[in-house]
mmCIF file of all heavy atoms in Angstrom:
data_model
loop_
_atom_site.group_PDB
_atom_site.id
_atom_site.type_symbol
_atom_site.label_atom_id
_atom_site.label_comp_id
_atom_site.label_asym_id
_atom_site.label_seq_id
_atom_site.Cartn_x
_atom_site.Cartn_y
_atom_site.Cartn_z
ATOM 1 N N ILE M 75 130.124 69.179 128.040
ATOM 2 C CA ILE M 75 129.792 70.511 128.569
ATOM 3 C C ILE M 75 129.853 70.499 130.016
ATOM 4 O O ILE M 75 130.237 71.407 130.754
ATOM 5 C CB ILE M 75 128.458 70.933 128.067
ATOM 6 C CG1 ILE M 75 128.407 70.957 126.544
ATOM 7 C CG2 ILE M 75 128.016 72.345 128.579
ATOM 8 C CD1 ILE M 75 127.075 71.379 125.916
ATOM 9 N N SER M 76 129.491 69.317 130.665
ATOM 10 C CA SER M 76 129.512 69.137 132.143
ATOM 11 C C SER M 76 130.964 69.335 132.645
ATOM 12 O O SER M 76 131.304 69.908 133.624
ATOM 13 C CB SER M 76 128.913 67.799 132.547
ATOM 14 O OG SER M 76 127.566 67.752 132.098
ATOM 15 N N ASP M 77 131.926 68.652 131.846
ATOM 16 C CA ASP M 77 133.306 68.769 132.169
ATOM 17 C C ASP M 77 133.750 70.252 132.170
ATOM 18 O O ASP M 77 134.534 70.627 132.984
ATOM 19 C CB ASP M 77 134.140 67.931 131.201
ATOM 20 C CG ASP M 77 133.882 66.462 131.387
ATOM 21 O OD1 ASP M 77 133.465 66.096 132.554
ATOM 22 O OD2 ASP M 77 134.219 65.708 130.517
ATOM 23 N N PHE M 78 133.363 71.005 131.138
ATOM 24 C CA PHE M 78 133.690 72.366 130.967
ATOM 25 C C PHE M 78 133.134 73.164 132.135
ATOM 26 O O PHE M 78 133.941 74.003 132.676
ATOM 27 C CB PHE M 78 133.161 72.904 129.679
ATOM 28 C CG PHE M 78 133.298 74.359 129.567
ATOM 29 C CD1 PHE M 78 134.481 74.963 129.162
ATOM 30 C CD2 PHE M 78 132.244 75.252 129.853
ATOM 31 C CE1 PHE M 78 134.606 76.370 129.062
ATOM 32 C CE2 PHE M 78 132.403 76.589 129.722
ATOM 33 C CZ PHE M 78 133.566 77.159 129.377
ATOM 34 N N ALA M 79 131.936 72.927 132.599
ATOM 35 C CA ALA M 79 131.241 73.687 133.642
ATOM 36 C C ALA M 79 132.159 73.484 134.978
ATOM 37 O O ALA M 79 132.427 74.434 135.678
ATOM 38 C CB ALA M 79 129.815 73.332 133.814
ATOM 39 N N GLU M 80 132.455 72.305 135.181
ATOM 40 C CA GLU M 80 133.237 71.955 136.435
ATOM 41 C C GLU M 80 134.630 72.583 136.309
ATOM 42 O O GLU M 80 135.108 73.091 137.338
ATOM 43 C CB GLU M 80 133.298 70.455 136.745
ATOM 44 C CG GLU M 80 133.903 70.137 138.046
ATOM 45 C CD GLU M 80 133.904 68.587 138.405
ATOM 46 O OE1 GLU M 80 133.634 67.831 137.397
ATOM 47 O OE2 GLU M 80 134.075 68.257 139.434
ATOM 48 N N TRP M 81 135.217 72.361 135.150
ATOM 49 C CA TRP M 81 136.613 72.946 134.987
ATOM 50 C C TRP M 81 136.675 74.434 135.112
ATOM 51 O O TRP M 81 137.549 75.035 135.779
ATOM 52 C CB TRP M 81 137.163 72.405 133.669
ATOM 53 C CG TRP M 81 138.388 73.090 133.204
ATOM 54 C CD1 TRP M 81 139.733 72.770 133.566
ATOM 55 C CD2 TRP M 81 138.631 74.242 132.342
ATOM 56 N NE1 TRP M 81 140.645 73.605 133.087
ATOM 57 C CE2 TRP M 81 139.941 74.545 132.275
ATOM 58 C CE3 TRP M 81 137.742 75.094 131.750
ATOM 59 C CZ2 TRP M 81 140.531 75.640 131.542
ATOM 60 C CZ3 TRP M 81 138.188 76.160 130.914
ATOM 61 C CH2 TRP M 81 139.658 76.403 130.874
ATOM 62 N N ARG M 82 135.688 75.132 134.562
ATOM 63 C CA ARG M 82 135.656 76.578 134.628
ATOM 64 C C ARG M 82 135.307 77.138 135.954
ATOM 65 O O ARG M 82 135.792 78.146 136.420
ATOM 66 C CB ARG M 82 134.668 77.105 133.527
ATOM 67 C CG ARG M 82 134.351 78.660 133.540
ATOM 68 C CD ARG M 82 135.689 79.317 133.176
ATOM 69 N NE ARG M 82 135.350 80.824 133.073
ATOM 70 C CZ ARG M 82 135.215 81.598 134.119
ATOM 71 N NH1 ARG M 82 135.441 81.093 135.327
ATOM 72 N NH2 ARG M 82 134.999 82.892 134.087
ATOM 73 N N LEU M 83 134.277 76.492 136.646
ATOM 74 C CA LEU M 83 133.729 77.128 137.848
ATOM 75 C C LEU M 83 134.135 76.363 139.086
ATOM 76 O O LEU M 83 133.852 76.842 140.137
ATOM 77 C CB LEU M 83 132.139 77.222 137.779
ATOM 78 C CG LEU M 83 131.679 78.003 136.603
ATOM 79 C CD1 LEU M 83 130.140 77.887 136.470
ATOM 80 C CD2 LEU M 83 132.113 79.478 136.850
ATOM 81 N N GLY M 84 134.658 75.153 139.019
ATOM 82 C CA GLY M 84 135.047 74.378 140.121
ATOM 83 C C GLY M 84 133.961 73.929 141.026
ATOM 84 O O GLY M 84 134.163 73.930 142.194
ATOM 85 N N SER M 85 132.772 73.708 140.488
ATOM 86 C CA SER M 85 131.595 73.364 141.232
ATOM 87 C C SER M 85 130.943 72.032 140.706
ATOM 88 O O SER M 85 130.517 71.938 139.590
ATOM 89 C CB SER M 85 130.646 74.512 141.150
ATOM 90 O OG SER M 85 129.344 74.097 141.790
ATOM 91 N N LEU M 86 130.869 71.084 141.725
ATOM 92 C CA LEU M 86 130.247 69.837 141.350
ATOM 93 C C LEU M 86 128.676 70.030 141.256
ATOM 94 O O LEU M 86 128.115 69.390 140.394
ATOM 95 C CB LEU M 86 130.423 68.717 142.433
ATOM 96 C CG LEU M 86 129.934 67.363 142.150
ATOM 97 C CD1 LEU M 86 130.502 66.812 140.904
ATOM 98 C CD2 LEU M 86 130.300 66.528 143.428
ATOM 99 N N ALA M 87 128.112 71.014 141.932
ATOM 100 C CA ALA M 87 126.704 71.291 141.866
ATOM 101 C C ALA M 87 126.319 71.705 140.490
ATOM 102 O O ALA M 87 125.315 71.395 139.868
ATOM 103 C CB ALA M 87 126.285 72.166 142.913
ATOM 104 N N VAL M 88 127.099 72.780 139.987
ATOM 105 C CA VAL M 88 126.773 73.250 138.705
ATOM 106 C C VAL M 88 127.006 72.101 137.537
ATOM 107 O O VAL M 88 126.229 72.056 136.630
ATOM 108 C CB VAL M 88 127.817 74.450 138.319
ATOM 109 C CG1 VAL M 88 127.595 74.889 136.883
ATOM 110 C CG2 VAL M 88 127.476 75.640 139.278
ATOM 111 N N ARG M 89 127.975 71.312 137.773
ATOM 112 C CA ARG M 89 128.170 70.188 136.811
ATOM 113 C C ARG M 89 126.929 69.301 136.780
ATOM 114 O O ARG M 89 126.480 68.929 135.742
ATOM 115 C CB ARG M 89 129.363 69.363 137.223
ATOM 116 C CG ARG M 89 129.619 68.140 136.331
ATOM 117 C CD ARG M 89 130.549 67.142 136.894
ATOM 118 N NE ARG M 89 130.682 66.000 135.988
ATOM 119 C CZ ARG M 89 131.631 65.875 134.999
ATOM 120 N NH1 ARG M 89 132.580 66.791 134.942
ATOM 121 N NH2 ARG M 89 131.604 64.870 134.197
ATOM 122 N N ARG M 90 126.391 69.076 137.979
ATOM 123 C CA ARG M 90 125.149 68.179 138.043
ATOM 124 C C ARG M 90 123.975 68.907 137.312
ATOM 125 O O ARG M 90 123.238 68.229 136.589
ATOM 126 C CB ARG M 90 124.823 67.868 139.435
ATOM 127 C CG ARG M 90 125.824 66.839 140.016
ATOM 128 C CD ARG M 90 125.547 66.792 141.542
ATOM 129 N NE ARG M 90 126.460 65.759 142.072
ATOM 130 C CZ ARG M 90 126.733 65.601 143.368
ATOM 131 N NH1 ARG M 90 126.064 66.382 144.308
ATOM 132 N NH2 ARG M 90 127.473 64.707 143.779
ATOM 133 N N LEU M 91 123.802 70.199 137.508
ATOM 134 C CA LEU M 91 122.758 70.899 136.897
ATOM 135 C C LEU M 91 122.909 70.923 135.321
ATOM 136 O O LEU M 91 121.994 70.704 134.608
ATOM 137 C CB LEU M 91 122.776 72.357 137.317
ATOM 138 C CG LEU M 91 122.159 72.603 138.672
ATOM 139 C CD1 LEU M 91 122.290 74.074 139.100
ATOM 140 C CD2 LEU M 91 120.698 72.220 138.764
ATOM 141 N N VAL M 92 124.153 71.136 134.884
ATOM 142 C CA VAL M 92 124.468 71.047 133.412
ATOM 143 C C VAL M 92 124.144 69.663 132.862
ATOM 144 O O VAL M 92 123.588 69.535 131.808
ATOM 145 C CB VAL M 92 125.961 71.397 133.147
ATOM 146 C CG1 VAL M 92 126.272 71.174 131.665
ATOM 147 C CG2 VAL M 92 126.100 72.888 133.531
ATOM 148 N N SER M 93 124.553 68.570 133.671
ATOM 149 C CA SER M 93 124.181 67.256 133.169
ATOM 150 C C SER M 93 122.750 67.000 133.088
ATOM 151 O O SER M 93 122.249 66.342 132.073
ATOM 152 C CB SER M 93 124.782 66.173 134.197
ATOM 153 O OG SER M 93 126.193 66.337 134.307
ATOM 154 N N VAL M 94 121.961 67.580 133.887
ATOM 155 C CA VAL M 94 120.528 67.453 133.799
ATOM 156 C C VAL M 94 119.959 68.177 132.593
ATOM 157 O O VAL M 94 119.158 67.664 131.852
ATOM 158 C CB VAL M 94 119.797 68.060 135.070
ATOM 159 C CG1 VAL M 94 118.250 68.125 134.876
ATOM 160 C CG2 VAL M 94 120.074 67.122 136.268
ATOM 161 N N CYS M 95 120.497 69.376 132.338
ATOM 162 C CA CYS M 95 120.198 70.072 131.156
ATOM 163 C C CYS M 95 120.429 69.334 129.869
ATOM 164 O O CYS M 95 119.692 69.226 128.866
ATOM 165 C CB CYS M 95 120.792 71.500 131.113
ATOM 166 S SG CYS M 95 120.243 72.634 132.356
ATOM 167 N N VAL M 96 121.661 68.753 129.825
ATOM 168 C CA VAL M 96 122.066 67.892 128.615
ATOM 169 C C VAL M 96 121.181 66.812 128.362
ATOM 170 O O VAL M 96 120.698 66.546 127.251
ATOM 171 C CB VAL M 96 123.523 67.443 128.802
ATOM 172 C CG1 VAL M 96 123.862 66.377 127.800
ATOM 173 C CG2 VAL M 96 124.533 68.588 128.778
ATOM 174 N N CYS M 97 120.713 66.105 129.411
ATOM 175 C CA CYS M 97 119.819 65.009 129.247
ATOM 176 C C CYS M 97 118.464 65.489 128.832
ATOM 177 O O CYS M 97 117.823 64.836 127.905
ATOM 178 C CB CYS M 97 119.714 64.228 130.617
ATOM 179 S SG CYS M 97 121.213 63.305 131.149
ATOM 180 N N VAL M 98 117.934 66.584 129.425
ATOM 181 C CA VAL M 98 116.525 67.027 129.046
ATOM 182 C C VAL M 98 116.540 67.499 127.598
ATOM 183 O O VAL M 98 115.681 67.151 126.866
ATOM 184 C CB VAL M 98 116.142 68.143 130.037
ATOM 185 C CG1 VAL M 98 114.906 68.796 129.518
ATOM 186 C CG2 VAL M 98 115.967 67.650 131.440
ATOM 187 N N ILE M 99 117.614 68.241 127.232
ATOM 188 C CA ILE M 99 117.678 68.705 125.833
ATOM 189 C C ILE M 99 117.778 67.601 124.857
ATOM 190 O O ILE M 99 117.129 67.538 123.807
ATOM 191 C CB ILE M 99 118.888 69.669 125.610
ATOM 192 C CG1 ILE M 99 118.655 70.979 126.417
ATOM 193 C CG2 ILE M 99 119.084 70.057 124.114
ATOM 194 C CD1 ILE M 99 119.949 71.867 126.558
ATOM 195 N N GLY M 100 118.586 66.636 125.233
ATOM 196 C CA GLY M 100 118.739 65.379 124.327
ATOM 197 C C GLY M 100 117.419 64.656 124.229
ATOM 198 O O GLY M 100 117.037 64.265 123.129
ATOM 199 N N TRP M 101 116.671 64.487 125.334
ATOM 200 C CA TRP M 101 115.398 63.717 125.300
ATOM 201 C C TRP M 101 114.348 64.538 124.464
ATOM 202 O O TRP M 101 113.661 63.902 123.616
ATOM 203 C CB TRP M 101 114.893 63.503 126.631
ATOM 204 C CG TRP M 101 115.736 62.485 127.413
ATOM 205 C CD1 TRP M 101 116.383 61.426 126.828
ATOM 206 C CD2 TRP M 101 115.980 62.399 128.775
ATOM 207 N NE1 TRP M 101 117.108 60.781 127.771
ATOM 208 C CE2 TRP M 101 116.854 61.298 129.017
ATOM 209 C CE3 TRP M 101 115.658 63.172 129.867
ATOM 210 C CZ2 TRP M 101 117.335 60.911 130.238
ATOM 211 C CZ3 TRP M 101 116.081 62.822 131.149
ATOM 212 C CH2 TRP M 101 116.891 61.757 131.325
ATOM 213 N N PHE M 102 114.291 65.803 124.602
ATOM 214 C CA PHE M 102 113.422 66.627 123.711
ATOM 215 C C PHE M 102 113.811 66.575 122.327
ATOM 216 O O PHE M 102 112.933 66.488 121.468
ATOM 217 C CB PHE M 102 113.440 68.100 124.147
ATOM 218 C CG PHE M 102 112.535 68.461 125.236
ATOM 219 C CD1 PHE M 102 113.010 69.159 126.454
ATOM 220 C CD2 PHE M 102 111.181 68.159 125.231
ATOM 221 C CE1 PHE M 102 112.112 69.455 127.419
ATOM 222 C CE2 PHE M 102 110.245 68.463 126.221
ATOM 223 C CZ PHE M 102 110.756 69.121 127.346
ATOM 224 N N TYR M 103 115.018 66.351 122.045
ATOM 225 C CA TYR M 103 115.521 66.247 120.643
ATOM 226 C C TYR M 103 115.267 64.837 119.953
ATOM 227 O O TYR M 103 115.076 64.730 118.838
ATOM 228 C CB TYR M 103 117.019 66.644 120.520
ATOM 229 C CG TYR M 103 117.355 67.453 119.359
ATOM 230 C CD1 TYR M 103 117.547 68.868 119.445
ATOM 231 C CD2 TYR M 103 117.666 66.998 118.106
ATOM 232 C CE1 TYR M 103 117.891 69.645 118.461
ATOM 233 C CE2 TYR M 103 118.030 67.761 117.036
ATOM 234 C CZ TYR M 103 118.137 69.078 117.222
ATOM 235 O OH TYR M 103 118.407 69.773 116.143
ATOM 236 N N LEU M 104 115.260 63.939 120.902
ATOM 237 C CA LEU M 104 114.938 62.539 120.401
ATOM 238 C C LEU M 104 113.499 62.249 120.018
ATOM 239 O O LEU M 104 113.198 61.495 119.134
ATOM 240 C CB LEU M 104 115.436 61.466 121.537
ATOM 241 C CG LEU M 104 116.864 61.130 121.659
ATOM 242 C CD1 LEU M 104 117.035 60.206 122.883
ATOM 243 C CD2 LEU M 104 117.302 60.491 120.427
ATOM 244 N N LEU M 105 112.570 62.985 120.754
ATOM 245 C CA LEU M 105 111.194 62.767 120.463
ATOM 246 C C LEU M 105 110.773 62.982 119.026
ATOM 247 O O LEU M 105 110.075 62.191 118.407
ATOM 248 C CB LEU M 105 110.363 63.649 121.428
ATOM 249 C CG LEU M 105 110.297 63.229 122.879
ATOM 250 C CD1 LEU M 105 109.495 64.224 123.703
ATOM 251 C CD2 LEU M 105 109.630 61.842 123.015
ATOM 252 N N PRO M 106 111.226 64.158 118.388
ATOM 253 C CA PRO M 106 110.901 64.314 117.016
ATOM 254 C C PRO M 106 111.556 63.307 116.035
ATOM 255 O O PRO M 106 110.961 63.021 114.975
ATOM 256 C CB PRO M 106 111.384 65.768 116.610
ATOM 257 C CG PRO M 106 112.368 66.129 117.689
ATOM 258 C CD PRO M 106 111.919 65.280 118.928
ATOM 259 N N GLN M 107 112.678 62.687 116.466
ATOM 260 C CA GLN M 107 113.330 61.702 115.608
ATOM 261 C C GLN M 107 112.420 60.423 115.577
ATOM 262 O O GLN M 107 112.137 59.851 114.605
ATOM 263 C CB GLN M 107 114.676 61.348 116.087
ATOM 264 C CG GLN M 107 115.650 62.499 116.459
ATOM 265 C CD GLN M 107 115.595 63.617 115.434
ATOM 266 O OE1 GLN M 107 115.707 63.372 114.212
ATOM 267 N NE2 GLN M 107 115.507 64.860 115.977
ATOM 268 N N PHE M 108 111.925 60.042 116.716
ATOM 269 C CA PHE M 108 111.093 58.963 116.781
ATOM 270 C C PHE M 108 109.658 59.186 116.124
ATOM 271 O O PHE M 108 109.275 58.315 115.395
ATOM 272 C CB PHE M 108 110.728 58.551 118.318
ATOM 273 C CG PHE M 108 112.001 58.124 119.092
ATOM 274 C CD1 PHE M 108 111.894 58.115 120.480
ATOM 275 C CD2 PHE M 108 113.131 57.841 118.446
ATOM 276 C CE1 PHE M 108 113.140 57.727 121.167
ATOM 277 C CE2 PHE M 108 114.334 57.478 119.146
ATOM 278 C CZ PHE M 108 114.310 57.401 120.528
ATOM 279 N N GLN M 109 109.139 60.364 116.406
ATOM 280 C CA GLN M 109 107.823 60.708 115.729
ATOM 281 C C GLN M 109 108.053 60.707 114.249
ATOM 282 O O GLN M 109 107.140 60.333 113.469
ATOM 283 C CB GLN M 109 107.378 62.110 116.264
ATOM 284 C CG GLN M 109 105.976 62.480 115.819
ATOM 285 C CD GLN M 109 106.000 63.318 114.496
ATOM 286 O OE1 GLN M 109 107.103 63.994 114.352
ATOM 287 N NE2 GLN M 109 104.981 63.293 113.807
ATOM 288 N N GLY M 110 109.180 61.373 113.735
ATOM 289 C CA GLY M 110 109.313 61.330 112.297
ATOM 290 C C GLY M 110 109.455 60.036 111.659
ATOM 291 O O GLY M 110 108.969 59.699 110.588
ATOM 292 N N ALA M 111 110.174 59.036 112.369
ATOM 293 C CA ALA M 111 110.215 57.746 111.910
ATOM 294 C C ALA M 111 108.868 57.011 111.864
ATOM 295 O O ALA M 111 108.601 56.295 110.969
ATOM 296 C CB ALA M 111 111.244 56.875 112.804
ATOM 297 N N GLY M 112 108.125 57.226 112.869
ATOM 298 C CA GLY M 112 106.773 56.760 112.853
ATOM 299 C C GLY M 112 105.886 57.187 111.634
ATOM 300 O O GLY M 112 105.202 56.428 111.035
#
Side-chain angles (χ1 to χ4, degrees):
I75 302 179
S76 300
D77 291 341
F78 170 80
E80 185 176 18
W81 171 82
R82 172 65 178 83
L83 299 172
S85 171
L86 184 58
V88 173
R89 179 194 178 96
R90 289 170 177 165
L91 285 175
V92 172
S93 298
V94 171
C95 290
V96 168
C97 292
V98 171
I99 292 168
W101 290 329
F102 274 127
Y103 223 97
L104 280 174
L105 287 177
Q107 315 314 316
F108 297 164
Q109 187 265 336

